[in-house]
Amino acid sequence: MLAPFPAFAAWRFVDGVDGFEVVYPSPGRLRGHTSAVEDGLPYAVRYEIVLDDDWHTRSARVWTDTLDGPCEVALVSDGAGSWTVDGAPAPHLDGLVDIDIEASACTNTLPVHRMPMPLGEVVTASAVYVRALDLAVVRLDQTYRRLDDHRFDYTSEGDFTTLLVYDDAGLVVDYPGVARRFA
């Protein structure tokens, strides 16, 4: 059983990105903000994710502001793997139930809450991935392997691997190469 969420959590980005993220979790909802500079390009991202009682993403709105100006995307799911993006069917996302926002360490909490993850077993948790700069929405294939109650080996397409460390509430504390929690 996971501990209750704190009133807020905050991360500093590390390595290739300079910035931070703040999230305000509440039952069935994650509301967050990110500001960063990556490869010399600034962006600010705001998101609101609505979850059902089983931690399936039901909707997400993501706003970004870049040098090209502001834009937003709205995603809606039936909770069973069918999605619309800005009201249009998105069959390339069929079968996915989690959302992963590029500018967010927080969204890696969704599969940890939603899925049983037996010790040592690799669990596939592919997600709807929203890119920060252009809000492109694509499929991201990823896996988690639980090492203990706080550590998970994580892989995503493109051969990215790291060891994610979580707190008692299932929020990321350390995402090497990406973000570190400071509050």
Side-chain angles (χ1 to χ4, degrees):
M1 182 82 160
L2 295 170
F5 278 141
F8 78 97
W11 295 262
R12 283 192 180 103
F13 294 132
V14 297
D15 297 339
V17 180
D18 189 20
F20 63 92
E21 174 183 13
V22 176
V23 66
Y24 306 97
S26 60
R29 189 172 307 270
L30 297 173
R31 180 174 49 91
H33 306 269
T34 299
S35 293
V37 176
E38 183 174 3
D39 296 327
L41 298 173
Y43 60 81
V45 173
R46 179 170 59 103
Y47 60 87
E48 185 156 351
I49 301 167
V50 176
L51 308 161
D52 66 19
D53 291 341
D54 294 322
W55 283 86
H56 295 101
T57 302
R58 297 309 302 264
S59 68
R61 292 183 65 88
V62 184
W63 299 264
T64 191
D65 198 358
T66 68
L67 291 171
D68 294 331
C71 64
E72 70 179 88
V73 65
L75 300 106
V76 176
S77 172
D78 64 0
S82 292
W83 291 83
T84 61
V85 176
D86 291 331
H92 67 289
L93 305 175
D94 282 354
L96 305 176
V97 295
D98 294 320
I99 188 161
D100 190 344
I101 299 172
E102 179 181 29
S104 173
C106 181
T107 53
N108 285 85
T109 195
L110 300 178
V112 170
H113 279 84
R114 180 180 60 79
M115 301 175 67
M117 293 195 183
L119 192 64
E121 289 186 29
V122 174
V123 176
T124 299
S126 298
V128 173
Y129 188 66
V130 181
R131 293 195 177 116
L133 286 172
D134 61 4
L135 297 185
V137 179
V138 298
R139 176 188 191 95
L140 177 66
D141 292 322
Q142 53 189 6
T143 65
Y144 291 77
R145 183 170 63 93
R146 184 174 148 227
L147 302 176
D148 57 35
D149 287 345
H150 295 97
R151 298 178 311 129
F152 292 77
D153 281 332
Y154 170 79
T155 65
S156 67
E157 61 190 52
D159 297 325
F160 179 80
T161 63
T162 196
L163 175 70
L164 298 177
V165 179
Y166 291 81
D167 67 8
D168 290 338
L171 286 170
V172 172
V173 174
D174 190 19
Y175 191 149
V178 177
R180 185 166 297 116
R181 182 126 161 249
F182 70 92

